[in-house]
Amino acid sequence: MEAAAERETPEWVEVIAEDFVLWLGVMSGRSPNTVRAYRGDVVSLLRHVADHGGESAADVSLPHARRWLRAGRDLGWAPATIARRAAAARVVARWLDSAGVSPSGGSVTALGGPRPGRSLPRPLSASDASRLCDSAADAAVSAIGRRDHVVVEVLYGSGIRVAELVGLDLDDVDIDVRLLRVLGKGSRERTVPMGEPAARAIAEYLRNGRADLVTPDSAHALLLGTHGGRLGVRQARDRVNRIAVGAGLGMISPHALRHSAATHLLDGGADLRCVQELLGHATLSTTQIYTHVSLSRLTAAYAQAHPRA
């Protein structure tokens, strides 16, 4: 049998996928990463439909979608992947319904999927976070080292996402008042405070680092790669891991620093809604996934303070 990657994609699949992606990117306000992921998911679904006799968008039915997810589960798709692909299928189904395409066999909008597990990285202790930042500071003896110091300090000191970090431009940073203007998910803009160490790291990088990396391709990007272009998400992740391993902390992801920042803020008594705003979560329930790690502290405080404990 011809390998899936080598099969020719039917023209109608390409047409629907491209029209859907255009609508998704322009009309729905979803991030480029989400659009890219959904495009792959939708092409996978439509090719499955085509492989089973489908010839148009009207053949994208609920039974087809359910068989597609079952086939993916048999291939070893993770529950989170299945959940995302089910969500993508429902979105494209709503789009088709709005265009007047009503497949026989039930609408895919009724497609269910597993609830993705909310697995979170283990937060660093406050001392380990300081150790990581100190290690980055000790290595800040070159342009790259000073840039990497900014990466670590800002990720932990502000709690922003790594994609938000590498997306910062020069005019998004106000060192004097220690604020960042961040473009988050769904193109939502927010202002985020950062700590004094992060502001100092940025100031030093701008004085004695960025100019050594600048090329005509740099434009206004704050963080630059070795060839002068904007630092990428993958490169930022790699630098965080390198510094963490060098500090004896093992592999640490940028998201672990965001998770640690949220946890330490809550442990320090920050209001949950303030943390929600800082992290850029659309709903409070998303922020609440961080609160379970502070349960032992809450229990201890209750035992100490409540008269009926």
Side-chain angles (χ1 to χ4, degrees), residues 146-169:
R146 294 185 184 101
R147 180 207 64 193
D148 292 348
H149 186 206
V150 172
V151 169
V152 171
E153 286 285 6
V154 173
L155 284 173
Y156 176 60
S158 68
I160 64 176
R161 302 174 178 94
V162 64
E164 295 169 344
L165 170 72
V166 300
L168 290 173
D169 286 335

Side-chain angles (χ1 to χ4, degrees), residues 106-121:
S107 173
V108 181
T109 55
L111 181 67
R115 293 179 62 86
R118 290 189 169 185
S119 59
L120 292 171

Side-chain angles (χ1 to χ4, degrees), residues 69-123:
L69 289 185
R70 283 199 297 269
R73 183 187 59 203
D74 293 342
L75 289 171
W77 291 355
T81 299
I82 295 175
R84 190 200 69 221
R85 292 196 159 188
R90 289 192 294 270
V91 172
V92 76
R94 284 193 292 270
W95 172 68
L96 289 172
D97 286 350
S98 70
V101 179
S102 300
S104 59
S107 173
V108 181
T109 55
L111 181 67
R115 293 179 62 86
R118 290 189 169 185
S119 59
L120 292 171
R122 181 178 60 84

Side-chain angles (χ1 to χ4, degrees), residues 177-202:
V177 295
R178 305 207 303 265
L179 291 175
L180 302 171
R181 184 175 60 206
V182 174
L183 189 64
K185 289 185 175 181
S187 298
R188 292 188 296 269
E189 186 178 290
R190 69 187 191 281
T191 300
V192 179
M194 60 178 164
E196 185 176 349
R200 286 200 307 266
I202 293 175

